[in-house]
Amino acid sequence: MQITRSLFDEVMVPNYAPAKFIPVKGEGSRIWDQEGREYIDFAGGIAVTCLGHCHPVLVGALKDQADKLWHLSNVLTNEPALALAKVLVDNTFADKVYFANSGGESNEAALKLARRYAKNKYGEQKDQIIAFKQGFHGRTFFTVTVGGQPAYSDGFGPKPGAIEHAEFNNIDSLKALISDKTCAVMIEPMQGEGGVLPATPEFLQAVRELCDTHNALLIFDEVQTGVGRTGKLYGYMQYNVVPDILTTAKALGGGFPIGAMLTTDDIAKHLVPGTHGSTYGGNPLACAVALAAVNTVNTPEVLDGVMAKAQLFRDGLAKINEKYNVFADVRGQGLLIGAELTAQYSGKARDFMVAAADEGLMVLVAGASIVRFAPSLVIPDADIEAGLARFEQAIAKMVKA
Ligand SMILES: *Cc1c(COP(=O)(O)O)cnc(C)c1O
């Protein structure tokens, strides 16, 4: 059978519009398509492949576990899950871990836990969840409704209730909504999909204080910012603001599907047997790979490397901008970088992404006017330079056109 891009339109549900080429092989920060064309990867599978493609340590962990045991279900526990949970607990504020298979599912667990905790401790009336406009928390109906883009949750019938949205980085907006009826505030320390927008330290600190005043749990969605992306293991460590619940996925498995919810003993104890679960959550294969990923990322070499590589990116983008003046702002933290286009190119981020692919470079967008970079945390400096050169070629053509 001939596998081509046109087969996608024939057999796949049309909820995605993938690029015209089909990658078949990856190594480090390079990818090759069916025609043998090579691409430099600044996209990282949307902040997932934190150690690049087919990193030998991850491949080794996967193959090792593949020969031992793949799946048990939660009727039994398993060694990789316990080892990974121990590493996550030892290296964060958390005492307890719940495993899921994705970011959305991890957030679903966090939201359900917050509701259950508030109901048990304070009563039924404490059910309000506050999140932020432009925030993104997944595509399950609960998480997409908590997300701050109604366009993603409209059109599917009645939505889960008692969910409100405040303005990101605007503490008065949260103050106006929060009360003793609030059971949780969910926030990304840096909005990813919403435009690569870091919270200001004063804002995040004030959010924490408001949550404390009203006995509301603070949930950090670190699905995109977690596992080294910002230069710390988790983004909250940049701010010295500690959440009550933290969710992590994407880079956690380095490309193998896994998610986790981290919390404290006092909160975790409300999810008693039978209250929540997942067939695959804590799957040995996923946990073995994630254990290798976390242990590899959580070293001074890799984390300090993120900061140095981020600076290379920033300097390179600034140089390109001196020449072509296409970015109004370059922002982010560590290796999650957003380049907001000037008014002249407003709404054209997707065109930049396609033009980059034509030059052999994969980048992402975050909204209509922001080009986003989320490369491997260990991308070689030479690949950063070569990729930026391709990006500059793409921009030169865009500017001429
Ligand atoms: C990607 C993302 C999610 C959703 O994760 P899935 O694995 O696609 O369910 C949730 N929150 C944030 C901040 C994300 O970036």
Side-chain angles (χ1 to χ4, degrees):
M1 188 180 41
Q2 188 79 350
I3 307 284
T4 62
R5 173 61 179 75
S6 61
L7 194 55
F8 180 94
D9 301 326
E10 212 179 301
V11 301
M12 299 287 272
V13 169
N15 62 314
Y16 304 118
K20 295 299 167 205
F21 57 94
I22 302 182
V24 292
K25 182 180 146 61
E27 190 185 322
S29 284
R30 306 257 172 170
I31 275 184
W32 290 267
D33 72 9
Q34 289 178 313
E35 268 72 59
R37 249 194 113 210
E38 176 233 83
Y39 299 82
I40 295 174
D41 185 7
F42 281 1
I46 316 188
V48 167
T49 47
C50 56
L51 294 169
H53 298 277
C54 299
H55 189 285
V57 172
L58 300 195
V59 173
L62 182 65
K63 285 184 171 169
D64 247 24
Q65 190 60 38
D67 284 333
K68 284 186 194 156
L69 185 68
W70 289 25
H71 180 77
L72 291 165
S73 92
N74 290 296
V75 172
L76 301 157
T77 190
N78 68 78
E79 290 180 358
L82 295 174
L84 175 60
K86 177 80 170 112
V87 166
L88 290 171
V89 161
D90 283 350
N91 287 281
T92 66
F93 74 95
D95 309 309
K96 291 284 194 287
V97 179
Y98 167 84
F99 287 119
N101 311 291
S102 66
E105 281 178 68
S106 305
N107 285 332
E108 185 84 18
L111 294 165
K112 284 178 72 179
L113 172 56
R115 281 265 178 87
R116 180 60 67 103
Y117 171 86
K119 175 180 170 290
N120 287 351
K121 206 163 165 180
Y122 303 101
E124 297 274 1
Q125 78 294 339
K126 194 172 176 71
D127 63 359
Q128 186 199 44
I129 290 162
I130 303 178
F132 294 86
K133 290 176 185 169
Q134 298 303 119
F136 184 78
H137 302 297
R139 295 287 197 157
T140 69
F141 206 19
F142 198 173
T143 58
V144 82
T145 306
V146 170
Q149 294 203 57
Y152 291 163
S153 54
D154 288 347
F156 299 103
K159 298 180 188 185
I163 297 166
E164 303 281 348
H165 295 94
E167 304 257 342
F168 193 72
N169 274 342
N170 177 344
I171 199 65
D172 290 335
S173 163
L174 178 61
K175 232 178 243 166
L177 290 174
I178 201 167
S179 73
D180 290 346
K181 284 191 63 176
T182 308
C183 78
V185 173
M186 179 175 256
I187 188 168
E188 298 160 86
M190 168 164 49
Q191 286 193 335
E193 302 303 310
V196 191
L197 199 61
T200 65
E202 314 78 67
F203 175 68
L204 223 46
Q205 190 67 53
V207 171
R208 174 74 270 180
E209 282 162 18
L210 278 178
C211 285
D212 291 342
T213 304
H214 295 283
N215 293 317
L217 297 181
L218 178 56
I219 305 171
F220 278 1
D221 177 347
E222 293 232 29
V223 169
Q224 192 154 160
T225 51
V227 193
R229 182 60 47 192
T230 67
K232 302 263 190 202
L233 184 60
Y234 284 99
Y236 80 87
M237 297 166 180
Q238 300 279 7
Y239 289 95
N240 283 318
V241 176
V242 179
D244 300 298
I245 301 176
L246 179 150
T247 57
T248 174
K250 290 206 165 95
L252 181 61
F256 202 99
I258 183 170
M261 174 187 75
L262 280 54
T263 189
T264 62
D265 274 324
D266 180 50
I267 299 166
K269 69 179 186 223
H270 293 270
L271 279 191
V272 298
T275 49
H276 193 55
S278 156
T279 296
Y280 285 124
N283 169 283
L285 216 44
C287 290
V289 178
L291 178 64
V294 172
N295 281 336
T296 306
V297 167
N298 196 29
T299 57
E301 298 90 288
V302 172
L303 296 176
D304 294 347
V306 167
M307 301 319 287
K309 290 173 195 301
Q311 196 55 50
L312 257 183
F313 258 96
R314 298 281 190 132
D315 293 346
L317 288 170
K319 253 194 217 147
I320 291 173
N321 210 30
E322 272 170 32
K323 260 196 195 159
Y324 298 97
N325 198 25
V326 287
F327 309 131
D329 187 26
V330 176
R331 59 177 181 254
Q333 271 177 0
L335 283 173
L336 185 55
I337 298 167
E340 182 166 1
L341 299 170
T342 56
Q344 190 186 346
Y345 296 99
S346 175
K348 293 223 157 72
R350 193 157 281 278
D351 297 349
F352 278 73
M353 182 176 76
V354 171
D358 286 344
E359 299 301 321
L361 175 71
M362 296 176 21
V363 302
L364 298 164
V365 302
S369 301
I370 294 157
V371 180
R372 175 173 39 153
F373 308 95
S376 156
L377 307 181
V378 295
I379 182 172
D381 292 354
D383 285 2
I384 297 176
E385 279 157 24
L388 285 172
R390 290 180 191 188
F391 193 47
E392 180 170 345
Q393 276 168 19
I395 288 172
K397 285 187 186 167
M398 292 277 305
V399 167
K400 247 199 253 158

